[in-house]
Amino acid sequence: IWTGGYFITVGSSGFCLRSTDGITWSIVGTTAAGTNARGIAQNGPTLVVIGSTTSLSYSTDAGTTWAVGATVPGTGRQSITYWNGYWYVADGIIYRIADPTTGAVTQVFDNSNNVYSFAVFGGRLIGVGIAGNFAYTLDGTTWTETTVGAIALNSIAVSSSYAVIVGDDDGADAQ
């Protein structure tokens, strides 16, 4: 992610890497959530990471030091984002967290088609997942589910004008 001063990424073994130019990277810390960090999000100075453990990790110093935060149920945490005053975690089920350091975790959406990636676009929080389904919300509480076909939707990215969702169906890219 771009924090406004650094690019920050996380990965295997919980390593946190930082770069000012996107070319030269330095390991600056290790997340408290441990191995296989899968997602990172930012709100102001706070970075939050999800991974293969049930605990979130958070940092308030650009990833140099990390602490263990709130516990999220489930086993497949894949994505995290910050939107409208809350942190949202996708684990097939969508959870909402007000305070990632110790806050209560609330399940806000559960479907049989597993949401695994988030993006904010057009005032909506959009989650995509398997079986071509995606869900969106305007308020974080009421979710609408729809489908684009029998394609596993793996990720969503947005610009100011477009949302792009990628996926696969037996190895072929969805477009």
Side-chain angles (χ1 to χ4, degrees):
I1 63 169
W2 173 251
T3 67
Y6 300 100
F7 291 100
I8 303 241
T9 190
V10 293
S12 293
S13 300
F15 288 114
C16 176
L17 291 93
R18 186 169 59 198
S19 172
T20 57
D21 60 10
I23 297 169
T24 304
W25 293 84
S26 299
I27 296 174
V28 293
T30 304
T31 67
T35 61
N36 298 322
R38 295 181 179 145
I40 185 169
Q42 174 195 13
N43 176 40
T46 303
L47 299 169
V48 179
V49 168
I50 58 165
S52 57
T53 67
T54 57
S55 296
L56 300 176
S57 288
Y58 67 94
S59 173
T60 57
D61 61 5
T64 302
T65 59
W66 294 87
V68 175
T71 299
V72 179
T75 59
R77 287 151 305 284
Q78 298 292 325
S79 183
I80 186 168
T81 196
Y82 183 84
W83 179 70
N84 279 359
Y86 293 96
W87 302 87
Y88 291 84
V89 174
D91 177 17
I93 297 168
I94 299 173
Y95 299 96
R96 182 173 63 198
I97 306 160
D99 177 3
T101 63
T102 59
V105 177
T106 304
Q107 179 180 316
V108 293
F109 183 73
D110 184 4
N111 72 353
S112 60
N113 295 304
N114 298 325
V115 172
Y116 287 112
S117 181
F118 287 121
V120 176
F121 183 71
R124 293 178 171 98
L125 177 59
I126 302 169
V128 300
I130 66 169
N133 286 4
F134 64 94
Y136 67 90
T137 183
L138 296 170
D139 62 10
T141 302
T142 305
W143 291 78
T144 302
E145 185 176 8
T146 189
T147 187
V148 295
I151 298 168
L153 303 176
N154 298 323
S155 187
I156 181 171
V158 298
S159 71
S160 59
S161 304
Y162 299 96
V164 177
I165 301 169
V166 295
D168 62 75
D169 180 19
D170 294 327
D173 289 339
Q175 299 181 13

